[in-house]
Amino acid sequence: MPIDALTAYAHVANVARSVAFYRQLGLELESSYEADGKLVWALVARPGDAADGSRARLMLALASGPVDAGNQAVLFYCWTSDVEGLHDQLT
């Protein structure tokens, strides 16, 4: 039986900062977990459900060591109708 959904999971150096970044892409915080007053895990997702059941979702977890972006081996493919506008917004 095929799976119905898949959510990417990435280890990050700062979960709160990552949540703030993905909010710029339209993802909202759906669930989170704190330990010792520090955000250590979060699920961000695009609000609402798509008609076909697909949805942008991402889990973020605090890395246990330094994060080397060049060796992370996690790829994220994102779609937008306005690449230049999104680039301008993020820069």
Side-chain angles (χ1 to χ4, degrees):
M1 177 180 283
I3 61 172
D4 293 327
L6 180 68
T7 301
Y9 188 98
H11 288 95
V12 297
N14 184 311
V15 177
R17 188 175 64 216
S18 296
V19 168
F21 171 79
Y22 285 103
R23 277 193 169 130
Q24 294 182 65
L25 299 177
L27 303 181
E28 293 297 328
L29 182 65
E30 281 201 350
S31 186
S32 62
Y33 179 77
E34 290 187 11
D36 299 322
K38 186 174 187 175
L39 191 59
V40 296
W41 178 88
L43 171 66
V44 293
R46 183 163 185 221
D49 290 322
D52 65 358
S54 65
R55 194 167 168 221
R57 299 184 333 163
L58 173 62
M59 285 192 285
L60 304 162
L62 185 62
S64 59
V67 174
D68 180 352
N71 290 322
Q72 201 142 5
V74 178
L75 301 175
F76 299 96
Y77 290 87
C78 302
W79 286 260
T80 181
S81 59
D82 184 6
V83 173
E84 289 179 4
L86 178 59
H87 178 267
D88 291 344
Q89 174 185 327
L90 295 174
T91 55

